[in-house]
Amino acid sequence: MDINNEIRRLTAQREAIILAHNYTIGEVQDIADFVGDSLELSRKAAECQAKVIVFCGVRFMAETAKVLSPKALVLHPNPHAGCPMADMAAADEVAKYRQAHPDTVMVAYVNTTAATKCHIDICCTSGNAEKVIESIPQDRKIMFLPDGNLGRNIAAKLKRDMEFWPGFCPTHFKILPEMITAARNMHPDAEVIIHPECMPATVALADVALSTGGMLRHVKASPKHSFIVATECGLIHRLQQENPDKEFFSLEPKPLCPNMKKISLEDIYLSLKELTPAVELPQEVIDGARHPIEKMLEVKP
Ligand code: 13P
Ligand code: SF4
């Protein structure tokens, strides 16, 4: 059996679409109908007419697809692919904070569970966080959750006072300033592109901080030939495919998110064949989480 052919056959038979995040394994990116960053995947899920969405990424992303496309059957081929950062902002803790600070605007990175999104005002991704923060009047207090690093990087850029939840991405947290310095010493002509989930001290040593989708656009438009990629290593697959004449270097040790690597071609095949495991959310969670995601999608890019 050729698994790629079987997946394509079942995708057509089920009237399905396969969405994959830029960090998934190369084979998964290659079979997907659409590969993108968190914002692009949210937009795709919102406009998608497919009966079945096979979501290859971590759990909160599949939940977002379900919230935005509630009539579709959303399959998450490996239910063990979670995001530890999303789990750092539990719904009951966020609800408690909100109750205690009724005047604060709660801004949540999309890396939160649907249950947590029920207690916030507006979502953002690393691709639109600046625009989202700028859409909030200057005199309002802001709590940014769960990623303290993304929050601090945006606050510094916009010179905006904000409170930060004590959450972080365990993969980007391990990208240390000395790793950037070592990579620069090895490849002095390369431009350093970094993800804003990294610590501010690391971001300060890079040339440009962008979402994964932003990195792809930046590299394509750049006259430069070589790049040091300071984010999860899965992005290099697409960067290299779309820019065969350019050179990409990861860091040492290679940043890797084990959860993003959990979905295999076998998982996708079985999921399409058995139509399971499906993302199921209570109706009140779908309704509660939709509001802050839609508010985010209304913010002009
Ligand atoms: P983006 O693809 O939106 O940049 O997000 C990265 C990420 O870590 C998602 O979990
Ligand atoms: Fe979560 Fe970080 Fe993995 Fe993204 S890279 S899914 S933020 S743990």
Side-chain angles (χ1 to χ4, degrees), residues 164-237:
F164 310 107
W165 199 264
F168 61 94
C169 163
T171 301
H172 288 89
F173 177 74
K174 289 192 206 125
I175 300 180
L176 303 175
E178 50 268 35
M179 290 160 65
I180 305 289
T181 309
R184 271 208 199 273
N185 288 339
M186 277 177 77
H187 312 289
D189 296 332
E191 183 178 42
V192 180
I193 54 176
I194 198 163
H195 198 280
E197 284 177 12
C198 293
M199 289 181 289
T202 314
V203 171
L205 297 182
D207 295 307
V208 56
L210 294 162
S211 71
T212 57
M215 287 183 190
L216 282 150
R217 286 187 292 278
H218 175 82
V219 164
K220 201 170 262 180
S222 170
K224 298 225 167 72
H225 173 74
S226 51
F227 300 85
I228 293 164
V229 184
T231 190
E232 211 279 345
C233 59
L235 184 69
I236 292 184
H237 179 75

Side-chain angles (χ1 to χ4, degrees), residues 21-23 36-39 58 60-61 83 109 111 125-127 169 172 195 197 210-213 260:
H21 188 268
N22 289 323
Y23 293 159
D37 68 11
S38 300
L39 181 59
V58 289
F60 76 80
M61 295 180 172
C83 169
Y109 195 19
N111 298 39
T125 70
S126 54
C169 163
H172 288 89
H195 198 280
E197 284 177 12
L210 294 162
S211 71
T212 57
M260 280 288 187

